[in-house]
Amino acid sequence: MRIGDWVTHPSLPPALARGSRHEGRVVSFDSIIAAVEGYPGNEDWLYWLPVAELHATETAQTRLLSYHNAERAKAGLPALRHDSRLETAAQQWANHMAASGVLAHVDVANRIRAAGYPWTSFAENIAEGQQTAELVFGSWMGSPPHRANIMGPYADVGFGRAVDSQGHVWWCSDFGTQ
């Protein structure tokens, strides 16, 4: 966990601006407790929550970046760089899929551009149901089209993860080159 990470916890108020249900940003923490504030535009609340009970969305994203780059390194490909604009596009889409219950690629080019990423090429992987970063990465690597995106000619990547009201996990990874 790091300062600035987004975390989820059922005690947090809904974070509608991020399209999520119970999310906030870590502003401080120690080994036992974390201070979590509201989403941008609603920082009027501050909660103190046990670190062990928080699910850090950044943790899954960091692991996914590591797994992607490890596979690319095995093939002699350059590492992907984390890009916050692609992460915004991916997170917003994961949130949308979780809210709508529909797994689909829709208007990817415009979603990525709207997040501020001026792409010359892009790709997207999505998934639903895998509970961990490890499981979703394994699914993507076992699917030739998804694997091709992971190993593709992209420089940057961002990941999104959202959980719907039934506890199903929705994933999105957006790849790009400027």
Side-chain angles (χ1 to χ4, degrees):
M1 182 181 312
R2 300 178 311 222
I3 302 296
D5 282 357
W6 284 96
V7 295
T8 59
H9 190 275
S11 295
L12 296 174
L16 301 177
R18 283 190 37 104
S20 182
R21 288 183 171 66
H22 304 280
E23 194 170 41
R25 191 176 296 271
V26 174
V27 293
S28 70
F29 68 95
D30 60 25
S31 62
I32 298 172
I33 198 147
V36 180
E37 71 177 7
Y39 56 87
N42 185 27
E43 289 93 2
D44 296 340
W45 54 264
L46 184 69
Y47 280 67
W48 294 91
L49 299 166
V51 169
E53 292 182 14
L54 293 176
H55 174 76
T57 55
E58 285 290 339
T59 301
Q61 293 162 342
T62 301
R63 290 196 319 266
L64 280 172
L65 181 61
S66 176
Y67 301 149
H68 280 63
N69 284 334
E71 286 299 317
R72 291 174 63 89
K74 290 179 194 174
L77 298 171
L80 294 166
R81 295 179 305 243
H82 169 264
D83 186 278
S84 61
R85 298 163 298 179
L86 289 173
E87 183 174 304
T88 295
Q91 186 61 55
Q92 288 174 346
W93 193 245
N95 292 342
H96 173 81
M97 291 188 300
S100 68
V102 177
L103 182 71
H105 298 283
V106 177
D107 204 17
V108 180
N110 286 329
R111 286 190 287 106
I112 291 173
R113 187 164 282 131
Y117 188 87
W119 58 266
T120 58
S121 63
F122 67 88
E124 181 174 78
N125 286 349
I126 57 176
E128 184 269 329
Q130 299 87 347
Q131 292 295 313
T132 66
E134 293 75 15
L135 291 173
V136 76
F137 183 72
S139 292
W140 284 336
M141 288 302 289
S143 162
H146 294 103
R147 181 183 177 86
N149 289 342
I150 291 168
M151 306 304 278
Y154 305 107
D156 304 310
V157 68
F159 303 101
R161 176 188 182 280
V163 181
D164 67 21
S165 60
Q166 326 275 269
H168 294 107
V169 182
W170 300 77
W171 301 89
C172 181
S173 58
D174 285 332
F175 303 87
T177 298
Q178 297 183 64

